[in-house]
Amino acid sequence: AAGDYINQLRVDVDGLDPLRFQQAWQAAIDRHDILRTGFTWQGEVSTPLQVVHKHIALDCTEHDWRGQPQQQEALDTLATAERQRGFELDAVSLLRLTLVRIDEQRYHLIYTSHHILMDGWSNSQLLGEVLQRYAGQLPSHAPGRYRDYIAWLQRQDAQLSETFWKQQLAVLDEPTRLAQAISRGGQALAGKGYAAHQQHLDLQQTQRLSEFARQQKVTVNTLVQAAWLLLLQRYTGQDSVVFGATVSGRPAELKGVEQQIGLFINTLPVVAAPRPDMPVSDWLQLVQERNLALRDFEHTPLYDVQRWAGLGLSLIHISEPTRRRGIS
């Protein structure tokens, strides 16, 4: 599999010891089951199965490109080829390294992995552990087992989740499609139908937003979500609107879950019906309360929520929109 779910990190590293670096990675793979995982769904298997191998060897390729002409272009081509090569989900490993020596003291690292293994928080945990091991230090905490998270998922009450989400979605008359609303005036959207927009806030603006959030006793995330809901309502003209929000998906009752490596995140709908007569403080509290209520049901697979909505529900996301439901 290749495409949007292939993650890649590239960085130049000065003074790298390739052997010690690879040994640090191998030790991390040996320690975490999820890094020795493949997925199979074939033959008489009715649902995908997660297969954990007892041992796999780190997939690391080394190149010596010292003195090579047009080195940067060659590195870009190599990284693109690694990303396009993708992964077969039933094979291991679903991560690989490429080390390119570009001069006497510098290496270029290309780290490519499939998103099915882990989310961004886990990736940071993994890289931190590798650097710690490379420095000769052993991790200070024992890792939790991803199988415990899978077992926790399987213990959850599906009927309770369905009841909760159907109540949340009851006020939604139709999906919220921003692109359709913008083009409603008769002008077709130009380009590819998507774009990236960046808005940089200076220190003073950031401090003002943070202080306002503290005054209202809400998080900055709630502040952004509340503004986004108002924008969606204004552009679509719908009384009730919905967007997709990414949640950590890490159940607090699982010991050491914050240090676990795996894929925990989920994307879930946030549904609300802003009223023009509602004071800002009340509106922010309402959004905050909805976010808190979602926490007990943030493990629910998005495909189930979409099925229960019965509206061809598609979500406008304001953050990373990917999630896998683990199966053991």
Side-chain angles (χ1 to χ4, degrees):
D4 294 336
Y5 293 100
I6 304 299
N7 295 327
Q8 190 173 82
L9 170 70
R10 297 175 58 186
V11 63
D12 289 339
V13 185
D14 290 330
L16 182 71
D17 180 339
L19 178 59
R20 186 149 54 99
F21 187 64
Q22 292 177 48
Q23 288 172 340
W25 273 94
Q26 184 65 60
I29 290 173
D30 293 342
R31 187 169 184 248
H32 298 282
D33 291 348
I34 193 66
L35 303 181
R36 304 190 309 276
T37 289
F39 300 86
T40 185
W41 192 4
Q42 58 187 3
E44 298 180 358
V45 178
S46 59
T47 58
L49 294 179
Q50 179 177 336
V51 180
V52 179
H53 296 249
K54 290 184 178 180
H55 176 78
I56 66 168
L58 170 69
D59 186 348
C60 182
T61 303
E62 291 189 65
H63 302 282
D64 190 340
W65 286 4
R66 285 175 289 181
Q68 177 167 326
Q70 297 182 318
Q71 195 177 78
Q72 187 58 53
E73 290 83 352
L75 289 171
D76 292 343
T77 300
L78 178 61
T80 299
E82 279 296 301
R83 193 167 58 249
Q84 292 177 344
R85 175 182 161 195
F87 297 90
E88 295 296 330
L89 295 182
D90 58 354
V92 289
S93 154
L94 296 179
L95 66 82
R96 57 178 175 263
L97 307 180
T98 303
L99 282 173
V100 184
R101 192 170 187 179
I102 55 179
D103 64 27
E104 292 304 316
Q105 293 296 321
R106 177 171 292 185
Y107 282 81
H108 184 76
L109 168 66
I110 303 172
Y111 161 44
T112 310
S113 63
H114 199 291
H115 198 358
I116 200 169
L117 285 187
M118 60 192 130
D119 50 33
W121 177 265
S122 297
N123 216 6
S124 298
Q125 294 281 120
L126 173 60
L127 292 173
E129 178 177 330
V130 168
L131 293 177
Q132 190 177 17
R133 290 180 177 277
Y134 181 79
Q137 304 171 10
L138 294 178
S140 58
H141 60 272
R145 301 183 307 172
Y146 196 70
R147 66 183 300 173
D148 292 338
Y149 169 65
I150 300 299
W152 179 88
L153 279 178
Q154 293 173 337
R155 290 195 303 268
Q156 301 312 298
D157 189 328
Q159 185 58 54
L160 202 61
S161 294
E162 181 175 355
T163 300
F164 172 82
W165 283 109
K166 283 185 174 180
Q167 289 174 346
Q168 292 287 308
L169 298 163
V171 299
L172 194 63
D173 298 321
E174 58 180 312
T176 303
R177 296 192 173 103
L178 187 57
Q180 187 180 74
I182 293 174
S183 62
R184 200 168 281 165
Q187 295 182 343
L189 290 175
K192 297 181 180 179
Y194 64 89
H197 175 72
Q198 292 185 352
Q199 177 68 44
H200 296 280
L201 302 180
D202 60 27
L203 179 60
Q204 185 178 11
Q205 291 171 315
T206 303
Q207 288 177 337
R208 287 174 58 194
L209 282 174
S210 298
E211 179 59 31
F212 179 70
R214 281 194 296 270
Q215 291 172 359
Q216 299 297 320
K217 296 182 173 57
V218 299
T219 64
V220 174
N221 179 52
T222 294
L223 201 60
V224 173
Q225 290 190 4
W228 183 240
L229 285 163
L230 290 172
L231 182 145
L232 291 176
Q233 187 187 61
R234 178 170 297 180
Y235 274 89
T236 62
Q238 298 173 5
D239 292 334
S240 300
V241 288
V242 59
F243 71 89
T246 302
V247 294
S248 73
R250 294 174 184 256
E253 57 262 43
L254 279 184
K255 184 179 180 181
V257 72
E258 290 300 322
Q259 287 77 43
Q260 278 196 43
I261 292 176
L263 186 54
F264 295 90
I265 61 169
N266 195 7
T267 300
L268 294 171
V270 177
V271 185
R275 298 198 320 268
D277 61 336
M278 182 178 289
V280 171
S281 58
D282 291 350
W283 168 236
L284 292 174
Q285 291 301 320
L286 177 62
V287 176
Q288 180 102 322
E289 289 168 5
R290 285 182 178 271
N291 278 328
L292 290 173
L294 295 185
R295 289 187 180 179
D296 290 336
F297 301 95
E298 66 180 20
H299 59 276
T300 313
L302 178 58
Y303 59 79
D304 279 341
V305 179
Q306 290 171 315
R307 176 166 53 85
W308 295 329
L311 298 168
L313 180 63
S314 57
L315 299 180
I316 301 169
H317 298 90
I318 59 172
S319 54
E320 187 180 10
T322 184
R323 163 76 154 103
R324 172 180 56 82
R325 172 77 178 267
I327 297 175
S328 177

